[in-house]
């Protein structure tokens, strides 16, 4: 028992063993029924809801001493939320952490899936604010549960129809609804739809935790994940006119960064690890500091 | 020929109250049955039993499921019942707000059933919705407007289009014209009669208005205190009522 303790006095990874077992049982059920939302007895965590308490409980339940943890928020490892969660597990579990995607065994994330392809040795843990994809259309949970039970997803298409009628295209750009394994409709959490194709047939196990709503769900490795669409309005991902201004990548999700108050701006990789890795390998973009470029001469 | 719907001895109690008691009848394809009777006589209860919205305490309801013959509805799974309700059946509520999605466009309201049964081509869904808006005499240019901006009569026509878009064989209607102005009622009744005839629809229409029954129904079922007191061809029952209660109903209409 004492071996479960860390120097902070908490049990390993903060949660007590019984709670972790309970969450692991829920996760096993979630893996057995891909995309199905499994209720679990969410615990109070030393963070407010909305800060990833669902994801943290999932990570705490699956974390082992040899795991290497990476935490992403908005694609970046150094935002406040990511730093706090990483520090939380460093203190309560004493596990190694990393910013390098390929070195991590568990990646807890809010908003992004890493650009580097994942492997069978990795587990993604998503923080989910709103697990019910039809929640905005049908607020009653008894009703949405029945719709899931009967695989009755016309309502979701009504929403997509309405988008096209109103805006000429499907307006959702993040948390874009998917059908998992041809059966359950699932909210992929607020990742950009750019990342949806990465959910499909991923070699990594993908776990989703919603703390406030007390739900976990999962996509097992190599599972079909389709983004909903219409035949004449097929699903498509965001594209940018320019490559990343720092590493020149043309295949990554870009964030707009304001440079000055004169309206200067640039587009850079949202995945900071991907961008750094590329820069270290010598890739450059239009705003790269080194080498001094022609623009300066001009 | 076997009937489309066969109802045997169905009842529904609400505690002490009788919702409806021991109702039996048959309905054939393309036939329109009106259920008439005073307020509280059990008309809506009967309609809800028939459409499997509530379960019957006794008896059975059999329906001619395509390719399967007469099937006891109680033996269908919930998914099968739901499938019937959204493909082979329609249900027109008295208050269109209960039967429409008020927060999505007219086009989406009509298209919902199509999408629920697997339509995945936006352009085709929209074309079908446009056709149906025109069929119920709504301006197709308003396809992208919310029904909240429609008049009561327009909402009711939208609700009818939303129900008929999957070409059901059987439609339940609970006082479909009751909330409307008299002039609007007349036009809607004409429209309903045309649609029922053109599509060869079978229908069970609840009404307390004998004029509605006269115009739309082939046969009549007169209810009182939850029981059927008289049934027969519409003209026959209205011109030569047998049961004292029916005589009273007919007389009270004539007096007005
Ligand atoms: N949900 C319910 N709970 C309890 N009693 C009910 C319920 N629904 C109906 N009843 C009772 O069942 C009887 C039949 O009601 P029902 O609504 O079927 O009548 P109706 O013929 O449709 O009347 P109306 O013309 O006023 O709509 C009435 O005595 C009514 O009070
Ligand atoms: Mg009624």
């Amino acid at each position: 028992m004492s071996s479960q303790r860390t120097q902070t006095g908490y049990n390993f990874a903060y949660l007590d063993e019984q709670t972790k077992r309970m969450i692991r049982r829920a996760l096993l059920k979630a893996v057995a029924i891909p995309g199905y939302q499994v209720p679990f007895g969410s615990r109070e965590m030393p963070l407010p809801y909305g800060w990833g308490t669902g994801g943290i409980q999932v990570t705490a339940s699956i974390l082992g001493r040899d795991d290497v943890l990476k935490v992403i928020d908005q694609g970046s490892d150094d935002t406040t939320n990511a730093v706090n969660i990483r520090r939380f597990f460093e203190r309560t579990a004493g596990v190694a952490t990393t910013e390098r995607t390929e070195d991590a065994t568990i990646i807890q994330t809010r908003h992004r899936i890493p650009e580097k392809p994942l492997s069978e040795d990795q587990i993604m843990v998503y923080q989910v604010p709103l697990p019910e994809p039809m929640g905005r259309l049908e607020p009653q949970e008894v009703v949405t549960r029945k719709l899931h039970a009967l695989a009755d997803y016309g309502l979701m298409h009504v929403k997509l129809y309405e988008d096209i009628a109103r805006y000429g295209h499907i307006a959702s750009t993040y948390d874009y609804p998917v059908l998992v394994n041809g059966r359950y409709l699932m909210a992929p959490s607020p990742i950009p739809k750019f990342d949806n194709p990465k959910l499909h047939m991923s070699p990594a196990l993908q776990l989703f935790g919603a703390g406030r709503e007390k739900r976990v769900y999962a996509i097992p490795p190599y599972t079909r994940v389709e983004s909903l669409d219409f035949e004449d309005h097929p699903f498509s991902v965001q594209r940018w006119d320019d490559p990343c201004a720092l590493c020149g990548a043309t295949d990554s999700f870009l964030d707009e960064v304001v440079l000055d108050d004169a309206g200067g701006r640039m587009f850079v990789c949202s995945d900071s690890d991907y961008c750094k890795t590329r820069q270290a390998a010598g890739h450059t973009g239009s705003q790269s500091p080194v080498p001094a470029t022609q623009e300066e001469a001009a | 020929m076997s009937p489309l719907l066969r109802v045997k001895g169905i009842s529904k109690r609400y505690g002490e109250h009788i919702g409806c008691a021991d109702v039996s009848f048959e309905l054939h394809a393309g036939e329109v049955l009106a259920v008439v009777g005073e307020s509280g006589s059990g008309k809506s209860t009967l309609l809800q039993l028939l459409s499997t919205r509530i379960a019957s305490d006794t008896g059975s309801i059999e329906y001619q499921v395509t390719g399967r013959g007469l099937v006891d509805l109680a033996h269908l799974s919930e998914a099968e019942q739901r499938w019937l309700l959204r493909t082979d059946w329609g249900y027109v509520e008295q208050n269109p707000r209960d039967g429409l999605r008020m927060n999505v466009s007219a086009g989406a309201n009509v298209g919902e059933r199509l999408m629920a049964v697997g339509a995945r081509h936006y352009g085709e869904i929209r074309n079908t919705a446009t056709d149906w808006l025109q069929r119920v005499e709504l301006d197709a240019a308003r396809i992208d407007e919310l029904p909240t901006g429609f008049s009561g009569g327009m909402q009711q026509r939208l609700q009818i289009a939303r129900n008929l878009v999957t070409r059901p064989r059987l439609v339940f209607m609970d006082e479909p014209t009751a909330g409307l102005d008299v002039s609007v009622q007349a036009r809607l009744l004409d429209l309903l009669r045309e649609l029922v005839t053109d599509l060869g629809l079978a229908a069970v229409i609840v009404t307390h208005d004998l004029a509605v029954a006269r115009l739309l129904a082939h046969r009549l079922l007169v209810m009182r205190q939850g029981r059927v007191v008289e049934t027969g061809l519409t003209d026959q029952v209205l011109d030569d009522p047998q049961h004292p209660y029916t005589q009273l109903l007919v007389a009270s209409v004539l007096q007005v």
Side-chain angles (χ1 to χ4, degrees), chain B residues 29-42:
Chain B
E31 193 177 24
V32 178
L33 177 75
V35 180
V36 300
E38 64 193 357
S39 182
S41 58

Side-chain angles (χ1 to χ4, degrees), chain A residues 83-266:
Chain A
V83 171
N84 281 342
I85 293 173
R86 199 163 55 228
R87 193 176 297 149
F88 174 81
F89 283 114
E90 281 166 356
R91 288 216 187 121
T92 60
V95 293
T97 58
T98 183
E99 298 192 2
R100 289 162 53 86
T101 297
E102 61 272 39
D103 292 345
T105 58
I106 297 176
I107 303 173
Q108 178 170 335
T109 184
R110 182 166 81 149
H111 301 134
R112 283 308 313 280
I113 301 175
E115 306 290 4
K116 289 177 193 162
L118 301 173
S119 72
E120 289 178 359
D121 308 328
Q122 295 177 306
I123 299 177
M124 289 290 297
V125 177
Y126 297 82
Q127 301 171 204
V128 181
L130 295 170
E132 177 45 63
M134 295 177 287
R136 279 197 201 82
L137 308 164
E138 176 52 71
Q140 281 180 274
E141 209 203 315
V142 267
V143 177
T144 51
R145 234 183 302 151
K146 179 144 291 171
L147 295 178
H148 283 295
L150 299 171
D152 188 348
Y153 298 135
L155 184 58
M156 201 70 235
H157 270 92
V158 168
K159 196 258 169 200
L160 302 184
Y161 170 98
E162 203 65 357
D163 270 5
I164 301 172
R166 227 178 265 181
Y167 311 109
H169 58 91
I170 295 170
S172 306
T173 54
Y174 64 93
D175 211 355
Y176 188 107
V178 294
L179 193 67
V180 178
N181 204 28
R183 175 60 182 84
Y184 281 99
L185 181 68
M186 192 195 91
S189 84
I191 57 171
K193 66 176 182 173
F194 180 89
D195 286 342
N196 274 22
K198 298 177 193 163
L199 298 166
H200 176 64
M201 299 306 267
S202 173
L205 170 63
Q206 305 180 80
L207 305 175
F208 298 77
R212 188 181 41 214
E213 314 264 349
K214 304 179 172 48
R215 293 285 184 279
V216 291
Y217 49 97
I219 305 173
Y222 303 110
T223 300
R224 266 188 305 136
V225 179
E226 301 149 83
S227 302
L228 299 194
D229 62 2
F230 287 101
E231 288 157 23
D232 48 343
H233 286 266
F235 172 80
S236 66
V237 299
Q238 295 100 325
R239 295 271 171 237
W240 290 264
D241 294 336
D242 297 315
C244 169
L246 296 180
C247 78
T250 54
D251 57 355
S252 71
F253 187 87
L254 302 183
D255 281 337
E256 189 173 359
V257 178
V258 176
L259 293 174
D260 50 47
D261 37 10
R265 61 194 63 220
M266 64 176 179

Side-chain angles (χ1 to χ4, degrees), chain B residues 14 17-19 38-45 175:
Chain B
Y14 295 107
H17 289 281
I18 292 174
E38 64 193 357
S39 182
S41 58
K43 305 183 295 294
S44 296
T45 302
E175 309 271 12

